[in-house]
Amino acid sequence: MQDAEQGIAANLDGDELRIGIVQARCNQAVTDKLASSCRAELLTLGVAEKHIRHVVVPGALEVPMALALMADSNDYDALIAIGCVIRGETYHFELVANESGAGVMRVALDHDIAVANAILTVENIEQAWARAEDKGRDAARVAVEMANLMEDLL
């Protein structure tokens, strides 16, 4: 895909890329679907199975810490955050949604690494299921494209 203004083509070649996935266990059926569609797309894009590391943490608030530790290792070209936060009756939803999103972005900026954010923030379980497969696949594509772009820009 060519960007008309910049002349930069999206590079979705995952060959030789090393990708880390951090999955929240909370709402695990949904996050398992996100993770499986993400992994399948990574493989389709040429990322070798041996170059994918997948770790699971308790919930969305723990995702940024695991991402930061993976980023510190310098073993990855890109990282992917996977989770599902469903609105409840309390303010807890806003706290988890906002803080997990901010933490994921902070890892990307602090470590100069591409981080695809596939932490769903939804009103109900039906919305989560409606988005799970596509968002998992999208996260894989974002991670590969941004890893390649960052390599070109650095």
Side-chain angles (χ1 to χ4, degrees):
M1 172 188 310
Q2 189 74 25
D3 181 313
E5 288 183 25
Q6 300 295 324
I8 299 173
N11 182 349
L12 293 172
D13 180 4
D15 189 41
E16 300 301 319
L17 292 181
R18 297 160 299 141
I19 307 292
I21 300 170
V22 178
Q23 175 188 347
R25 189 179 309 114
C26 188
N27 297 309
Q28 189 165 4
V30 173
T31 65
D32 282 349
K33 183 61 174 178
L34 281 159
S36 67
S37 65
C38 178
R39 180 181 289 274
E41 186 68 10
L42 288 171
L43 295 172
T44 297
L45 296 173
V47 178
E49 181 74 39
K50 68 182 181 181
H51 290 158
I52 301 171
R53 178 147 188 226
H54 181 176
V55 299
V56 179
V57 298
L61 287 174
E62 291 75 37
V63 169
M65 176 59 75
L67 291 170
L69 292 170
M70 293 173 94
D72 282 342
S73 75
N74 292 315
D75 289 339
Y76 303 95
D77 298 298
L79 301 171
I80 300 170
I82 291 178
C84 179
V85 184
I86 301 173
R87 184 179 297 280
E89 296 178 7
T90 68
Y91 181 72
H92 186 70
F93 170 84
E94 283 82 3
L95 174 79
V96 175
N98 292 338
E99 294 303 319
S100 63
V104 168
M105 181 57 68
R106 192 169 72 234
V107 170
L109 296 172
D110 289 352
H111 296 275
D112 292 326
I113 188 168
V115 182
N117 188 347
I119 299 177
L120 299 178
T121 53
V122 295
E123 297 292 325
N124 54 53
I125 193 69
E126 292 79 18
Q127 287 181 357
W129 281 114
R131 290 162 175 76
E133 187 169 347
D134 286 344
K135 288 299 181 184
R137 192 171 32 252
D138 290 348
R141 297 173 70 82
V142 166
V144 169
E145 181 177 349
M146 288 302 297
N148 288 322
L149 178 62
M150 290 181 72
E151 179 67 26
D152 289 346
L153 293 175
L154 294 177

